[in-house]
Amino acid sequence: MTRTDDQLLEKPIVIVGAPRSGTTVLGEIFRHHGKLAYLLEPRLTWRWGNDRESDMLQVEDAREDVVAHIRKRFADAVRSAGRERLLENTPSNSLRMPFVERVLPECRFVHVIRNGEDSVLSILQFWRQFSGGVRSDKLFARLKEISPRQIPHYAVEFAKRVFPGSMAGVRVWGPRLPGIEQIVRELGILPACCLQWRLCVESARQFGRSLPSTRYFECRLEDMCGDLVREVQDFCELEHDPAVWEYFEKNFDPTLTGARRAIATREELDTIRQWIEPTMQWLDDPDRSDR
């Protein structure tokens, strides 16, 4: 029996978190579950109809045509994969969870948080790599995802990525904060990385904790282990699948989660702490302990 789009989008799982915080680690673990269709960063699908806005979309941006388009794309992806539920991972969704909630009202949010210093240092590395060009597989994925009405808006962005030395302007990597190009011009890339981490973490936790405990689960990358994977699985109401555990046991390396601080310069760490220390203290406040 053919399942409807609404049936395919029952209780979708949405992984959120700042960039380079472990969302892909968790996504890769659960993509091996036989019932889940995994979508990794369908950025242009989420931005359809709001292409000129930042990534911090609001509830009012989830207009009827926008919701219908996104849900159709996601349902088609689940159907094409021959699976039963959607597993989606886009770090920018951390900035717009009320918008995501309007599009996928039954979703389960799983928020992955990584030590802020390590996360920011990893974001910084990707900004620097991005300034030198673009991965062809990433570009191809975007070209497959884009709809005809989005082509005029993203043509310049694509050109900047393919020919990074030929076009002026700031080339942005990661979540598009409001005014991020000006932030980079006036403050530099490292403060922009810090603000990306802060706003993603703060926005996701603030909204997530307003939801029932059955809808929002928060975890730390540094705590990743078999027991935590089981907790996430139970929260998402997923049955046991040996492929998940086989992948986790063979591929997860806990020693990598804190490696970047060991090679960072003192100046980098001082700057990062200046920008993110209040948020790190808030995360560690015992009165706001993880669920």
Side-chain angles (χ1 to χ4, degrees), residues 46 48-50 53-67 70 93 95-105 109 207 210-211:
W46 281 113
W48 188 90
N50 294 294
E53 308 297 328
S54 74
D55 281 333
M56 197 173 281
L57 299 174
Q58 306 300 310
V59 171
E60 53 267 28
D61 295 314
R63 302 177 299 278
E64 184 176 349
D65 61 327
V66 171
V67 172
I70 298 174
N93 281 340
L95 299 171
R96 54 180 179 237
M97 283 169 59
F99 174 89
V100 176
E101 162 80 0
R102 181 65 63 88
V103 175
L104 299 172
F109 289 107
F207 180 75
S210 72
L211 298 172

Side-chain angles (χ1 to χ4, degrees), residues 59-158:
V59 171
E60 53 267 28
D61 295 314
R63 302 177 299 278
E64 184 176 349
D65 61 327
V66 171
V67 172
H69 175 86
I70 298 174
R71 287 181 64 84
K72 178 63 175 174
R73 283 290 187 98
F74 288 166
D76 286 346
V78 178
R79 186 178 291 110
S80 297
R83 302 299 176 92
E84 299 180 17
R85 288 177 68 183
L86 174 68
L87 172 65
E88 197 278 340
N89 169 21
T90 302
S92 297
N93 281 340
S94 305
L95 299 171
R96 54 180 179 237
M97 283 169 59
F99 174 89
V100 176
E101 162 80 0
R102 181 65 63 88
V103 175
L104 299 172
E106 295 183 3
C107 68
R108 273 53 177 164
F109 289 107
V110 180
H111 183 192
V112 185
I113 300 174
R114 182 184 185 184
N115 173 274
E117 294 171 356
D118 278 305
S119 187
V120 169
L121 288 166
S122 187
I123 294 170
L124 178 63
Q125 178 186 6
F126 271 71
W127 270 84
R128 289 169 172 168
Q129 290 175 345
F130 173 72
S131 65
V134 64
R135 287 167 40 188
S136 59
D137 59 334
K138 202 75 168 179
L139 180 61
F140 181 67
R142 291 287 178 258
L143 291 173
K144 287 179 61 178
E145 183 187 1
I146 196 168
S147 68
R149 65 177 281 179
Q150 292 177 295
I151 291 174
H153 177 76
Y154 291 104
V156 174
E157 179 179 320
F158 284 154

Side-chain angles (χ1 to χ4, degrees), residues 64-287:
E64 184 176 349
D65 61 327
V66 171
V67 172
H69 175 86
I70 298 174
R71 287 181 64 84
K72 178 63 175 174
R73 283 290 187 98
F74 288 166
D76 286 346
V78 178
R79 186 178 291 110
S80 297
R83 302 299 176 92
E84 299 180 17
R85 288 177 68 183
L86 174 68
L87 172 65
E88 197 278 340
N89 169 21
T90 302
S92 297
N93 281 340
S94 305
L95 299 171
R96 54 180 179 237
M97 283 169 59
F99 174 89
V100 176
E101 162 80 0
R102 181 65 63 88
V103 175
L104 299 172
E106 295 183 3
C107 68
R108 273 53 177 164
F109 289 107
V110 180
H111 183 192
V112 185
I113 300 174
R114 182 184 185 184
N115 173 274
E117 294 171 356
D118 278 305
S119 187
V120 169
L121 288 166
S122 187
I123 294 170
L124 178 63
Q125 178 186 6
F126 271 71
W127 270 84
R128 289 169 172 168
Q129 290 175 345
F130 173 72
S131 65
V134 64
R135 287 167 40 188
S136 59
D137 59 334
K138 202 75 168 179
L139 180 61
F140 181 67
R142 291 287 178 258
L143 291 173
K144 287 179 61 178
E145 183 187 1
I146 196 168
S147 68
R149 65 177 281 179
Q150 292 177 295
I151 291 174
H153 177 76
Y154 291 104
V156 174
E157 179 179 320
F158 284 154
K160 284 183 179 181
R161 294 193 176 202
V162 177
F163 309 108
S166 63
M167 303 189 70
V170 176
R171 292 180 291 278
V172 176
W173 182 88
R176 271 61 172 173
L177 305 180
I180 190 164
E181 292 189 4
Q182 185 172 352
I183 291 171
V184 174
R185 283 194 293 267
E186 295 187 8
L187 300 176
I189 291 178
L190 183 53
C193 298
C194 294
L195 288 172
Q196 284 179 318
W197 181 83
R198 278 191 61 172
L199 285 176
C200 284
V201 171
E202 292 172 3
S203 299
R205 177 183 254 205
Q206 194 74 26
F207 180 75
R209 292 187 172 219
S210 72
L211 298 172
S213 59
T214 55
R215 297 281 317 286
Y216 175 76
F217 184 93
E218 191 175 294
C219 60
R220 303 294 182 100
L221 178 64
E222 292 79 12
D223 295 335
M224 189 66 66
C225 63
D227 287 343
L228 180 57
V229 172
R230 289 183 182 89
E231 284 189 60
V232 175
Q233 177 181 259
D234 292 342
F235 167 77
C236 296
E237 301 177 58
L238 289 169
E239 62 189 41
H240 174 79
D241 189 329
V244 171
W245 306 109
E246 181 179 354
Y247 177 85
F248 173 75
E249 292 173 358
K250 287 184 177 180
N251 295 278
F252 180 68
D253 183 357
T255 65
L256 297 179
T257 59
R260 296 189 185 279
R261 274 173 288 172
I263 60 175
T265 67
R266 174 54 55 185
E267 182 180 3
E268 288 174 333
L269 289 173
D270 287 345
T271 299
I272 292 169
R273 288 165 186 160
Q274 174 188 348
W275 282 95
I276 73 171
E277 188 171 4
T279 303
M280 292 185 68
Q281 292 176 350
W282 177 59
L283 291 173
D284 292 333
D285 187 338
D287 294 330

